[in-house]
Amino acid sequence: MSGIRIKARERNGVVDVKTLMKHPMETGLRKDKDGNKIPEHWIQDVVAEANGKVVFSCAFNTSISKDPYLSFAYAGKKGETLTLSWKDSAGESASKDVTVG
Amino acid sequence: MDRRSVIKAAGIMSAAATALVALPRIAWAAYSDSAFKAKGAEDALSSLYGGSATTPSDQVKLKAPDIAENGAVVPVEVETDLQAESIAILIEKNPSPLAISADLPAGTQAMVKTRCRMGETTNVTAVVKSGGKLYTATKEVKVTIGGCGG
């Protein structure tokens, strides 16, 4: 249960990746109903690897929407394994493997 | 310790062990507090790329809605024909403008799509690093309901 959804499709040697990561992405600006600030908690780093090689990496700020959506594309082949991982400001992390279709 | 708390503790321990084993082999992008916490677009660019000199370019394609009814979820897409090493998205009027910075190794398409939050009507700037220079495209997005606080 990593809370990551990935679709990876190859066309003409290019793998198109679409992913959704389940995460509250708290900005630290929101308040709960008693007026207390909800502490910031967000995904900071995302890395995608295929065949042991990094094909995409990025850093997020709190201004990325809740349950972040990310799409990118790289040169690759059908059948290879793509691994997507994230790490958040609380030091939590998640990872998911998907076979390129 | 009753049975339930033993099981819970074991679960936490094994989760921690997995995290410890899994972490070192991942090549994380370098999240930088100084760039992402910067209060202005220029400061963010300086600490991200070591310089804030940019050139507007029509080869940088930025796609964002003209009007966003909900500032909490605004789709933003950046694409370019340039040889891009890195792509960043800046939302000018947000408390910290830098929203995302992506590193593109050779073989990766010069494209990134995501969804951003915008507190109010603002300029959105796509920055593409190509051959050591920064190229930009800017678009104004009108926000009806802000998405940052509440």
Side-chain angles (χ1 to χ4, degrees), chain A residues 4-48:
Chain A
I4 301 176
R5 281 169 57 194
I6 319 177
K7 263 191 200 165
R9 285 272 143 75
E10 188 253 17
R11 250 182 74 192
N12 304 324
V14 175
V15 180
D16 190 44
V17 185
K18 290 183 175 69
T19 177
L20 269 174
M21 296 158 254
K22 204 167 169 49
H23 199 280
M25 295 298 282
E26 284 299 344
T27 59
L29 302 170
R30 256 157 40 95
K31 289 184 179 131
D32 64 19
K33 55 178 189 302
D34 301 323
N36 303 312
K37 271 199 173 177
I38 302 170
E40 55 184 17
H41 181 207
W42 80 102
I43 296 180
Q44 291 184 319
D45 287 293
V46 181
V47 175

Side-chain angles (χ1 to χ4, degrees), chain A residues 44-47 56-60 70, chain B residues 29-30 36 100-103 112:
Chain A
Q44 291 184 319
D45 287 293
V46 181
V47 175
F56 182 90
S57 66
C58 71
F60 281 168
L70 185 69
Chain B
F36 281 91
I100 175 174
S101 112
D103 293 326
V112 64

